[in-house]
Amino acid sequence: MTRMGSIGGIEYKGSENNQFKLIAKTVYGLEEVLAKEIEQLGGQNIEILQRAVMFTGTMEIVYKTNYCCRTALSILKPIVEFQAQNEQELYKKVSEIKWEQILDVDGSFLIESTLNSRFFSHSLYIAQKTKDAIVDRFRKMFNRRPTIRMENPDFRINIHIYDDKVTLSLNSSGDSLHKRGYRVETAIAPINEVLAAGLIQLSGWRRDTNFIDPMCGAGTILIEAAMFANSIPAQYYRKSFGFKKWKEYNVAEWKRIKEAADSQMQEFDFLIWGSDIDKKALEIARKNLAFAKLHKEVELFHASIENQMPPEGECMVIMNPPYGERINPEDLNALYTKMGNTFKHNYGEGKTVWVISSDFTALKHIGLKTSKKIVLYNGQLECRFMRYDMYSGSKKGSKFVEHPA
């Protein structure tokens, strides 16, 4: 249970039994998926927010959620809360915090700010004032100050203001957790890794059927599917985390948590197939898969959508087709019509197809009845994640037809 203590009118986050409040940020629409992940890892007092999940845990939970949560963007540890209605009040209360107990005068930090307030309107200005308050305190105490570093700072400090309520948090993740570390190269408009992992979880796939992405691009959905299928931790390929700079960081405990998670990796007994009409994108997918040592788990094909034939038996199909950002509406509608026809004629009993798109008009051109619709955001784009259950169709063949050179 969280305990609050007051120093100079500022509420500091304490803890009981080594438990403290944590906030995991995520993509809109994945909150419940993330909450379930956190619960399975041992997080307590879970509360679902918008684009976030609040919970309590120990440093062990900080390590587990950072390393294993597939749908978290960052794990924040709130350290102080107070009220402020103007910049002078904000500056004064930030400067009263004992930053010397958190930051090293010879270290570096970065301020990240988010606002939803009638008293404050410019997030960059608020970040600047917060930075000034911190460095001015160090100057007065040591005649020196930490440096500001935009890339790889020792500490990322998050300031969140809702109306007049200010919360300052330490970002235990460092860089966003969507940066898994397996991307050697990227194609045009790649899907966010956290969103890709979330699509897989929302689909209900339980690693007990084949998996297909018919428009795989650089292979993000395929890699996330292969990692999930083989129980590879979400951050298996990542080396850097913000909590490694914290004073309470315990190397032995982190190593124990990591080794325990890695020991759960297993073999996958079904097929994972990907296809795309873009040869360059497929080459990037091959490089990313090879770097992640998943090239033997995933088979890639060069084929257009209408020439694709899924394997026999049950299949989970998830695809992220173009949304129209670089394709005119008429061509986009024709593409989605072609997708619908392919699903109808080439995909038979036992095939479950999921499509995510922000173009709601184009989605109608798929022409099939949906069994489920989920609202998600891909960046700033409001999307629909649509499920189509296939009951009939041609079953001839069991391979994608290679697209002619």
Side-chain angles (χ1 to χ4, degrees):
M1 179 181 296
T2 301
R3 181 180 69 247
M4 303 296 293
S6 179
I7 303 177
I10 300 176
E11 298 296 323
Y12 287 84
K13 297 289 185 183
S15 64
E16 292 180 1
N17 301 322
N18 296 319
Q19 295 266 337
F20 41 81
K21 187 167 88 169
L22 294 162
I23 297 174
K25 300 179 71 174
T26 189
V27 174
Y28 181 95
L30 297 183
E31 296 91 345
E32 291 188 8
V33 175
L34 176 56
K36 184 175 180 180
E37 285 192 284
I38 292 169
E39 181 181 26
Q40 291 173 342
L41 292 169
Q44 299 178 12
N45 304 312
I46 295 170
E47 180 182 347
I48 294 176
L49 310 174
Q50 184 169 306
R51 299 178 188 266
V53 176
M54 186 165 62
F55 61 106
T56 59
T58 61
M59 279 300 293
E60 178 180 343
I61 297 301
V62 171
Y63 302 150
K64 285 183 176 181
T65 51
N66 270 287
Y67 192 58
C68 298
C69 280
R70 301 184 190 279
T71 56
L73 290 167
S74 60
I75 309 296
L76 306 180
K77 179 186 178 183
I79 56 172
V80 63
E81 290 178 354
F82 58 83
Q83 290 181 304
Q85 297 185 1
N86 56 63
E87 62 186 65
Q88 292 80 18
E89 194 174 10
L90 175 70
Y91 176 92
K92 179 177 182 296
K93 292 186 174 180
V94 172
S95 65
E96 290 173 356
I97 299 170
K98 297 178 180 179
W99 292 106
E100 65 278 6
Q101 296 179 3
I102 300 171
L103 309 179
D104 189 334
V105 69
D106 295 318
S108 61
F109 71 96
L110 176 67
I111 304 294
E112 301 168 324
S113 60
T114 53
L115 310 177
N116 183 5
S117 173
R118 57 191 167 122
F119 300 104
F120 305 96
S121 57
H122 300 290
S123 60
L124 290 177
Y125 181 69
I126 292 304
Q128 181 70 30
K129 292 299 292 184
T130 304
K131 182 269 294 181
D132 290 345
I134 295 172
V135 299
D136 288 350
R137 179 182 177 91
F138 274 94
R139 280 199 188 100
K140 288 178 182 179
M141 296 186 69
F142 306 105
N143 201 30
R144 290 187 296 146
R145 48 154 288 187
T147 59
I148 306 301
R149 185 182 297 163
M150 303 303 293
E151 299 291 333
N152 300 315
D154 295 332
F155 286 84
R156 288 179 183 265
I157 300 168
N158 180 278
I159 179 168
H160 179 270
I161 304 180
Y162 181 78
D163 205 21
D164 66 346
K165 181 182 178 182
V166 181
T167 303
L168 282 157
S169 305
L170 296 181
N171 186 333
S172 71
S173 306
D175 282 341
S176 172
L177 293 174
H178 83 273
K179 297 180 179 180
R180 308 287 209 221
Y182 58 65
R183 273 188 179 170
V184 179
E185 294 184 30
T186 60
I188 297 175
I191 191 170
N192 180 293
E193 291 89 334
V194 163
L195 178 56
L199 298 182
I200 293 165
Q201 296 302 311
L202 287 171
S203 75
W205 188 52
R206 293 295 173 260
R207 302 175 280 201
D208 54 357
T209 67
N210 300 321
F211 185 95
I212 303 174
D213 180 357
M215 292 185 178
C216 67
T220 303
I221 292 177
L222 295 174
I223 294 174
E224 292 294 330
M227 289 178 68
F228 176 58
N230 290 275
S231 297
I232 299 172
Q235 304 304 328
Y236 181 76
Y237 305 101
R238 180 182 173 125
K239 305 301 181 185
S240 176
F241 295 91
F243 60 73
K244 289 187 175 183
K245 298 289 185 177
W246 292 8
K247 297 184 188 302
E248 58 264 55
Y249 172 52
N250 185 312
V251 178
E253 185 176 31
W254 160 244
K255 184 178 180 181
R256 177 179 63 80
I257 295 296
K258 186 176 183 300
E259 288 178 348
D262 293 350
S263 71
Q264 299 301 309
M265 291 190 289
Q266 59 187 3
E267 295 293 325
F268 178 62
D269 296 327
F270 296 88
L271 301 172
I272 300 178
W273 283 4
S275 181
D276 205 282
I277 196 171
D278 186 338
K279 284 186 176 181
K280 184 177 179 181
L282 284 174
E283 184 58 32
I284 293 172
R286 287 190 180 93
K287 290 179 180 179
N288 291 336
L289 284 162
F291 179 83
K293 294 182 171 57
L294 293 170
H295 54 289
K296 294 182 179 179
E297 302 290 331
V298 180
E299 192 168 0
L300 298 177
F301 300 87
H302 177 230
S304 58
I305 184 70
E306 68 272 21
N307 289 325
Q308 297 179 11
M309 193 73 65
E312 295 287 348
E314 294 186 14
C315 290
M316 179 62 70
V317 183
I318 299 179
M319 61 189 298
N320 175 42
Y323 298 171
E325 299 298 309
R326 291 171 301 278
I327 301 178
N328 69 59
E330 187 174 322
D331 290 341
L332 192 69
N333 292 340
L335 173 62
Y336 279 58
T337 298
K338 188 182 296 184
M339 286 161 46
N341 289 336
T342 300
F343 300 151
K344 182 178 180 180
H345 297 294
N346 293 4
Y347 288 59
E349 189 77 27
K351 307 298 190 294
T352 301
V353 178
W354 287 87
V355 178
I356 184 173
S357 178
S358 67
D359 195 312
F360 306 146
T361 299
L363 279 169
K364 294 178 181 177
H365 283 262
I366 291 178
L368 300 174
K369 183 179 180 181
T370 59
S371 59
K372 195 168 186 179
K373 302 177 185 179
I374 300 174
V375 179
L376 292 167
Y377 271 78
N378 185 354
Q380 299 299 313
L381 297 175
E382 181 180 344
C383 297
R384 295 291 183 273
F385 191 37
M386 315 283 274
R387 172 173 169 158
Y388 306 91
D389 296 312
M390 301 294 105
Y391 297 106
S392 63
S394 173
K395 295 186 179 180
K396 57 186 178 182
S398 60
K399 279 271 188 181
F400 287 169
V401 179
E402 293 286 341
H403 194 277

